[in-house]
Amino acid sequence: MKIVIVGGVAGGATAAARIRRLDEHAQIVVFERSGYISYANCGLPYYIGDVITDQKDLTLQTPESFYSRFRIEMKVHHKVLAIHPDQKTVSVKNLETGEVFEERYDKLLLSPGAHPTQPRLPGVGMDKLFTLRTVEDTLRIKDYINKNQPKSVILAGGGFISLELAENLRELGMEVTIVQRPRQLMKPFDPDMASFIHGEMRRHGIQLALGYTVEGFEEKDGGIDVLLKDEQPLHADMGILAIGVTPESSLAKEAGLLLGAKGSILVNDRMETSVPDIYAVGDAVQIKHLVTGQDTLISLAGPANKQGRIAADNICGRDSHYAGSLGSSILKVFDLTAASTGINESTAKRMGIAADKVILSPMNHAGYYPGGTVMTMKVVFEKETYRLLGAQIIGYEGVDKRIDVLATAIQAGLRATELKDLDLSYAPPYSSAKDPVNMAGFMIENLSDGILKQFHLEDVPNLPTDGSVTLLDVRTTGEYARGHIHGFRNIPVDDLRARIHELEKGKPVYVICQSGLRSYIATRILAGYGFDSYNFSGGFRFYDAVTNDRCLIRAAAECGMDQAGSLS
């Protein structure tokens, strides 16, 4: 059996190695148009930032090492020009010699990946405007920086690559501005959780121009002007387009394969396309989202690797199926770690799913053990059924552990209330006896049992100010003095029983503290005295971070930006 694979990296290289492990005698040929067949795609920004200093560390395998171990022909600088399903051949061009030839296959696997989205805007393609997707892109950016020593850069887009590049370029000493149309970075996160990412970026000197529409690029004064709709241009020494990726499906389309969302290649759960004996994997294919069941695109290395393995299994006569993806992801943002899985609250509402959430601020390990740090967790679930929908966590140590536990719980079909039952490891340097994931489960169980009633940040502007409700802040007097929500009176939780007579019976009480814990205790005290009370989800710490971020974004929109790209 002869298998031809179009494209290496995560999906293609994984499939090639798996096929060889299952079939020692299959003839396997991989055509890769770049010069690298297996490289650390996610490590590219860190090479630009000198975190990874040896270019060889980016290359996981070479054609020579792949052939030595697996006896697989890895032909780099070879571009597949066309697929001929009727003849079961592909037309291939050797980019080094210009030779064009036909290659026969019994099974064909497409792993073409995706290319950086390049909008049809004036100036796209100019020398000082870069994209980052391949090792070659990385080397071009690195070479430009080394030769020209640019002092400033503008990144168009606010996703994974943009933030990783922003951090690395900032660490090189460059002035960095991120501009994009949405008013938040990182689409997998809800706007409230993204506020913590924004704060960390600003703390490290990154300029954020959120809510601005890029209309083109011009070379000016030895650098580049980024043209904005209804605003003065931003100027920098160089620019990088990082507004997402587009499935590389032109070959499939020309061969008559059925396409799906955004021009992606349509496959079934065996990674088979609409044409017999042709499979497809990776960023180019449409898959199912495990939470929503809907068709989606998820451009992540984990799903691509799994799909490559499944396609290889089926090519070799096994029966493997791809269930779908949660889109679980994690990102380093300077000192912070930001992670998400499943869908966020915004997506749930957009899809008409009745969603609720809990927001908590637990320590990463036992509070009495030195070095503990706070993380912010948001767990989203479906009302009535308590089906887990997704989670977002932003913090320092231990974020990766908790998001993986929550991703596992979602995929296993656990209800949100069952998080309390998970038997998770504990020692003071690593966790608490009640792990943050357990704590989320306790909170959700309290909601389901009616022990806890919440109000959220979006409810605060609509709270009555006519005296028909009691607004209560149960932090210490010092905490209250340093900042509080207008209209909330202060009675510290430890004084509440002695001062309960100061509260008017019959009025609902809306309670806030710093993190949500003391205010929950206060609601239980109030319940014991016959009050109907509501706990603020996330606490004043959460409220303060989100509202300050929104004020900064609003102020930037109202005040505009100067020619240097700094906020006025």
Side-chain angles (χ1 to χ4, degrees):
M1 180 170 62
K2 181 174 182 179
I3 300 102
V4 169
I5 299 176
V6 181
V9 197
T14 295
R18 175 69 171 172
I19 291 169
R20 173 57 73 228
R21 290 194 293 269
L22 295 176
D23 187 340
E24 177 62 22
H25 302 291
Q27 183 182 355
I28 308 167
V29 181
V30 180
F31 294 114
E32 169 59 49
R33 63 184 172 187
S34 76
Y36 302 87
I37 52 94
S38 182
Y39 57 87
N41 207 294
C42 299
L44 302 181
Y46 298 98
Y47 177 74
I48 292 172
D50 287 338
V51 177
I52 299 171
T53 56
D54 190 342
Q55 181 186 328
K56 294 179 181 177
D57 290 338
L58 296 175
T59 307
L60 305 178
Q61 291 277 1
T62 65
E64 293 76 21
S65 67
F66 228 96
Y67 185 80
S68 175
R69 176 157 297 179
F70 297 110
R71 292 299 188 270
I72 292 172
E73 293 182 73
M74 289 285 187
K75 296 183 178 292
V76 296
H77 296 134
H78 281 68
K79 181 179 179 179
V80 174
L81 303 176
I83 303 168
H84 312 291
D86 292 342
Q87 290 82 37
K88 300 190 88 168
T89 62
V90 293
S91 300
V92 186
K93 182 176 184 179
N94 184 326
L95 298 178
E96 295 178 351
T97 66
E99 176 196 5
V100 176
F101 59 92
E102 300 293 304
E103 189 82 19
R104 182 191 63 80
Y105 68 83
D106 294 308
K107 304 285 185 179
L108 177 66
L109 173 63
L110 304 179
S111 180
H115 59 266
T117 301
Q118 297 217 33
R120 295 180 179 177
L121 295 175
V124 169
M126 66 174 59
D127 291 343
K128 293 180 175 66
L129 184 62
F130 300 86
T131 59
L132 178 60
R133 182 68 178 176
T134 65
V135 174
E136 286 89 348
D137 294 336
T138 307
L139 299 180
R140 276 192 292 270
I141 293 172
K142 189 65 175 171
D143 184 61
Y144 182 85
I145 291 172
N146 289 340
K147 287 181 179 178
N148 296 280
Q149 299 295 308
K151 299 292 190 293
S152 58
V153 60
I154 295 171
L155 296 159
F160 289 96
I161 290 293
S162 180
L163 267 65
E164 289 170 345
L165 271 173
E167 176 179 342
N168 280 278
L169 294 173
R170 183 65 182 148
E171 296 289 6
L172 290 178
M174 297 176 66
E175 294 294 324
V176 180
T177 300
I178 297 176
V179 57
Q180 71 161 4
R181 183 165 50 192
R183 288 197 164 197
Q184 71 162 88
L185 302 174
M186 294 301 297
K187 188 178 178 181
F189 293 83
D190 284 313
D192 51 10
M193 294 294 286
S195 297
F196 293 90
I197 298 174
H198 299 168
E200 184 73 358
M201 299 294 279
R202 294 190 189 101
R203 190 168 73 84
H204 285 84
I206 305 292
Q207 305 264 7
L208 301 182
L210 305 177
Y212 291 82
T213 301
V214 175
E215 293 195 320
F217 306 88
E218 289 181 355
E219 288 199 42
K220 188 174 182 180
D221 300 331
I224 185 171
D225 267 6
V226 179
L227 310 179
L228 304 178
K229 183 179 180 180
D230 301 326
E231 295 289 343
Q232 292 297 309
L234 302 177
H235 184 78
D237 295 331
M238 63 182 292
I240 298 176
L241 269 176
I243 59 175
V245 295
T246 300
E248 187 61 81
S249 57
S250 55
L251 270 177
K253 180 179 179 180
E254 291 164 6
L257 278 64
L258 293 181
L259 302 183
K262 298 181 180 179
S264 58
I265 303 171
L266 202 63
V267 294
N268 60 19
D269 64 357
R270 288 169 50 87
M271 310 313 298
E272 296 168 322
T273 70
S274 58
V275 174
D277 296 323
I278 301 180
Y279 299 74
V281 300
D283 294 353
V285 305
Q286 173 181 292
I287 61 171
K288 294 287 184 184
H289 197 287
L290 277 173
V291 172
T292 67
Q294 293 194 347
D295 297 328
T296 190
L297 301 176
I298 295 180
S299 299
L300 294 169
N305 273 279
K306 295 180 185 71
Q307 293 160 19
R309 178 185 175 91
I310 288 166
D313 282 357
N314 292 315
I315 286 171
C316 293
R318 298 171 66 86
D319 186 24
S320 292
H321 299 263
Y322 185 66
S325 175
L326 292 172
S328 301
S329 60
I330 193 164
L331 175 71
K332 178 182 179 295
V333 186
F334 290 100
D335 299 327
L336 278 180
T337 299
S340 70
T341 188
I343 62 172
N344 58 29
E345 182 185 12
S346 303
T347 300
K349 287 183 176 179
R350 188 168 62 250
M351 296 184 64
I353 300 173
D356 202 353
K357 76 263 190 177
V358 292
I359 299 168
L360 58 158
S361 303
M363 297 283 284
N364 68 302
H365 61 56
Y368 61 84
Y369 188 86
T373 56
V374 174
M375 65 180 73
T376 304
M377 293 178 61
K378 182 174 185 177
V379 180
V380 183
F381 55 93
E382 190 173 32
K383 292 180 181 178
E384 306 299 333
T385 68
Y386 290 91
R387 176 171 67 107
L388 275 169
L389 300 175
Q392 302 151 63
I393 310 177
I394 297 176
Y396 300 91
E397 300 290 332
V399 169
D400 52 346
K401 169 183 174 178
R402 275 67 187 215
I403 205 70
D404 286 344
V405 170
L406 286 161
T408 303
I410 295 171
Q411 188 148 351
L414 296 186
R415 297 201 317 160
T417 49
E418 293 179 292
L419 295 176
K420 72 182 191 304
D421 301 320
L422 294 176
D423 191 1
L424 304 174
S425 61
Y426 158 62
Y430 303 106
S431 185
S432 300
K434 292 184 286 191
D435 187 85
V437 175
N438 295 138
M439 290 300 301
F442 294 143
M443 292 173 66
I444 296 167
E445 182 186 50
N446 284 341
L447 282 171
S448 71
D449 291 344
I451 295 172
L452 171 64
K453 291 187 285 187
Q454 299 185 113
F455 69 108
H456 302 288
L457 187 143
E458 60 267 26
D459 300 320
V460 172
N462 300 318
L463 290 175
T465 56
D466 58 1
S468 60
V469 302
T470 299
L471 306 178
L472 183 63
D473 189 321
V474 297
R475 295 176 296 157
T476 65
T477 55
E479 290 173 307
Y480 182 82
R482 287 191 290 273
H484 58 270
I485 303 176
H486 178 72
F488 277 73
R489 62 178 297 189
N490 181 222
I491 301 178
V493 65
D494 293 337
D495 299 338
L496 185 56
R497 291 182 180 88
R499 297 174 60 181
I500 200 77
H501 62 278
E502 298 179 21
L503 305 181
E504 187 176 341
K505 283 288 187 72
K507 290 184 179 180
V509 185
Y510 290 81
V511 193
I512 191 171
C513 72
Q514 190 67 11
S515 68
L517 176 58
R518 283 174 288 171
S519 51
Y520 169 63
I521 294 169
T523 64
R524 299 314 304 148
I525 294 171
L526 290 165
Y529 285 89
F531 288 88
D532 186 23
S533 56
Y534 299 81
N535 187 30
F536 181 75
S537 179
F540 185 79
R541 170 183 172 272
F542 184 80
Y543 172 89
D544 194 43
V546 178
T547 53
N548 283 339
D549 176 60
R550 290 177 180 175
C551 285
L552 287 170
I553 295 172
R554 186 165 58 250
E558 292 171 355
C559 296
M561 304 176 68
D562 63 27
Q563 293 286 345
S566 59
L567 298 182
S568 302

